[in-house]
Amino acid sequence: MAGSSKTIGALLVAASALAGAGAALGQARHASNEFPTGAISQPSARVQQPAWSGSSGASGDPAMTVEAIRAAAADFPNCIERLWSAAARRGISRVTFRAYAERLTPDLRIMDMLDAQPEFTKSFWDYLDLLVTDERIEKGRELLQRYDRTFDAVERAYGVDRHIIAAIWGIESNYGTLGGDRPVVRSTATLACIGRRQRYFRDEFLAALEILQHGDIRPDRLVGSWAGAFGPTQFMPTAFKRYAVDFDGDGRRDVVDSIPDVIASTANNLKKDGWVSGETWGYEVVVPATFDFRLAGPSHAMTLRDWQRAGIVRPSHQPFPRLDDRAYLLVPAGVQGPGFLMLTNFRVIMKYNPAEAYALAIGHLADRLRGGGPFVQQWPRYERVLSRDERLELQQLLARHGYDIEPDGHLGARTRAAIRDFQASAGIVPDGFASATVLNRLRRQ
Ligand SMILES: [Ca+2]
């Protein structure tokens, strides 16, 4: 996790994120917020990886043209050698460098993944359905039982709820079964020398070499997503440096093969990111159609007492346990779906995986592991999800109507705000939801 990330393409997350190699790339744990983890399917190690498409990236970045990629690939051995002095300053020996860096070849297929912009995306509810399944709930409960004593010890040491850790384990890698099989050193070396994120990945590459230098993880076990996230809870190399702990006391911080190290390191990560002990992540709430939806969004936090006064209640009118806790309102599907009041710990989960759909899946799976039920309210499953072209068109139409947005196909907070303003002016419930209905209204204006 390289730092915090804020602007989230929240409503719709790229479908490719689920399709391959734990496509791990958020700004925090992963390198771009468009492609979070949560591997659903994973090519097996025996299946031959397809070659690079040989085409320019969709981002339009000058470093992603075919010519730039080919030139950087030709220069790859020199690029690696230029990193030697930085590696040496980190205490990496020439022997280690020779063994793991010098003979690397680039994995150019990663360039396709770095710039993947799928035309079709899934809805928020489709992601939740895919990520929080009965099978995942059952498996998680089994693991909570099997590692009961480890979870006890970790909760005592870090004060982080075991169900959240188990849920991260389940969402990030399906409990260690879908973490990716690409060598982390090769992936990060490729991204450090080729493409549009070289600066970011130089640090990841060098941190990966440090792991091998210290002998924390066996070289053949340091494999993961194409972006270099590894282990059951998908640590990036720099996140490993910051958060990994040796909880089983064998002298190695092995967040791949030691379950105590995995559980404790993940807890330590959340704790250092600000986890509030004894508090949950948030609540499902009912948002009335008359509600002022401009109050929604991460930039507007207020106490649960104030939300209650504004007309927000829990589905069966259970009281909020701690009325002074501050929360922000998330309404992923507008007035037609459930709302959520997100506490501090939701923001902490967002640092772990900076996509709202994934963070909500982690919180919800944790509740289910604890014995809670599904969400009470229905999602608007009849709503069609806009394609990438339609999302762009929606933004272009909004911009043409004078709303302050830059069309990029990603529906973030600014687009939602513009949609709300447009809806208000058109006399529809201003919930900011990018529906086909809104697009049609814009087309007719
Ligand atoms: Ca250990």
Side-chain angles (χ1 to χ4, degrees):
M1 305 195 1
S4 64
S5 79
K6 292 298 167 270
T7 47
I8 307 302
L11 202 54
L12 305 164
V13 199
S16 74
L18 298 180
L25 261 208
Q27 282 181 346
R29 166 156 249 85
H30 318 298
S32 128
N33 56 16
E34 300 129 55
F35 305 102
T37 45
I40 295 286
S41 66
Q42 179 66 47
S44 110
R46 284 180 297 280
V47 178
Q48 196 173 357
Q49 302 281 1
W52 174 45
S53 66
S55 38
S56 296
S59 64
D61 190 293
M64 296 302 291
T65 64
V66 176
E67 299 72 34
I69 291 171
R70 285 198 201 288
D75 188 51
F76 185 77
N78 301 320
C79 172
I80 295 294
E81 192 51 40
R82 285 195 296 274
L83 290 167
W84 157 242
S85 58
R89 282 197 297 277
R90 291 174 180 230
I92 292 157
S93 71
R94 191 71 215 185
V95 172
T96 300
F97 198 78
R98 197 169 294 137
Y100 300 112
E102 271 183 11
R103 273 166 292 171
L104 286 174
T105 55
D107 179 0
L108 292 183
R109 169 82 179 123
I110 290 175
M111 291 302 119
D112 293 332
M113 292 154 166
L114 182 60
D115 259 14
Q117 287 194 338
E119 175 63 17
F120 298 103
T121 53
K122 289 185 186 303
S123 66
F124 216 93
W125 47 96
D126 285 337
Y127 275 104
L128 285 166
D129 287 352
L130 278 168
L131 295 170
V132 186
T133 60
D134 289 344
E135 203 187 342
R136 231 169 247 197
I137 294 165
E138 197 180 318
K139 180 80 191 290
R141 287 180 181 159
E142 266 173 45
L143 291 171
L144 281 160
Q145 245 179 9
R146 191 185 316 161
Y147 298 106
D148 184 43
R149 289 171 64 181
T150 304
F151 277 114
D152 279 345
V154 167
E155 271 186 351
R156 275 196 304 275
Y158 299 96
V160 177
D161 175 15
R162 66 184 67 200
H163 303 98
I164 288 288
I165 299 165
I168 288 175
W169 191 359
I171 299 293
E172 290 288 341
S173 70
N174 199 20
Y175 306 108
T177 60
L178 300 175
D181 52 20
R182 284 186 145 80
V184 170
V185 174
R186 185 183 184 210
S187 299
T188 53
T190 301
L191 287 156
C193 289
I194 308 169
R196 62 183 164 87
R197 299 299 302 274
Q198 294 179 30
R199 246 181 105 94
Y200 172 89
F201 279 103
R202 233 168 273 155
D203 198 20
E204 297 296 341
F205 169 63
L206 293 168
L209 289 177
E210 284 181 74
I211 294 170
L212 296 178
Q213 177 71 43
H214 297 152
D216 284 308
I217 297 167
R218 270 173 41 202
D220 61 313
R221 300 290 293 152
L222 189 58
V223 295
S225 75
W226 62 268
F230 55 94
T233 56
Q234 296 279 282
F235 277 93
M236 289 293 285
T238 54
F240 174 93
K241 269 183 81 168
R242 277 201 296 281
Y243 304 118
V245 293
D246 171 24
F247 202 68
D248 62 14
D250 72 347
R252 295 162 61 238
R253 301 187 291 163
D254 186 353
V255 299
V256 174
D257 288 320
S258 159
I259 297 300
D261 288 6
V262 168
I263 293 172
S265 299
T266 307
N268 186 42
N269 184 332
L270 294 171
K271 182 181 182 221
K272 289 211 162 134
D273 280 348
W275 186 265
V276 184
S277 287
E279 188 176 289
T280 184
W281 56 271
Y283 303 102
E284 180 188 355
V285 292
V286 180
V287 185
T290 52
F291 184 76
D292 179 1
F293 281 87
R294 283 171 305 179
L295 295 176
S299 56
H300 191 96
M302 51 187 203
T303 64
L304 294 171
R305 181 176 286 105
D306 288 339
W307 286 115
Q308 208 164 264
R309 279 197 197 118
I312 303 285
V313 291
R314 295 176 74 190
S316 341
H317 294 269
Q318 308 101 303
F320 293 112
R322 292 149 51 133
L323 284 169
D324 292 320
D325 285 353
R326 292 172 69 79
Y328 79 87
L329 179 67
L330 177 69
V331 269
V335 71
Q336 305 170 89
F340 300 92
L341 279 178
M342 301 309 199
L343 302 166
T344 301
N345 284 342
F346 187 77
R347 295 181 192 262
V348 175
I349 301 171
M350 288 281 290
K351 290 183 194 169
Y352 204 94
N353 198 332
E356 282 171 339
Y358 282 82
L360 180 57
I362 286 167
H364 184 49
L365 178 55
D367 285 353
R368 303 296 297 275
L369 293 176
R370 198 183 287 112
F375 294 130
V376 176
Q377 299 160 93
Q378 298 298 309
W379 295 99
R381 292 176 186 279
Y382 45 83
E383 279 286 358
R384 189 174 64 76
V385 169
L386 300 185
S387 71
R388 181 176 159 74
D389 285 350
E390 288 174 319
R391 295 199 305 276
L392 261 175
E393 186 191 350
L394 176 93
Q395 291 178 316
Q396 283 157 355
L397 288 168
L398 285 167
R400 201 173 306 156
H401 283 80
Y403 295 100
D404 175 29
I405 54 168
E406 284 160 36
D408 61 359
H410 297 291
L411 302 178
R414 273 169 84 181
T415 305
R416 268 181 285 182
I419 293 172
R420 277 198 301 268
D421 290 346
F422 168 71
Q423 288 170 315
S425 74
I428 13 184
V429 177
D431 62 4
F433 182 54
S435 64
T437 314
V438 166
L439 176 60
N440 284 331
R441 284 292 282 266
L442 271 164
R443 282 170 174 159
R444 279 186 303 190
Q445 288 281 312

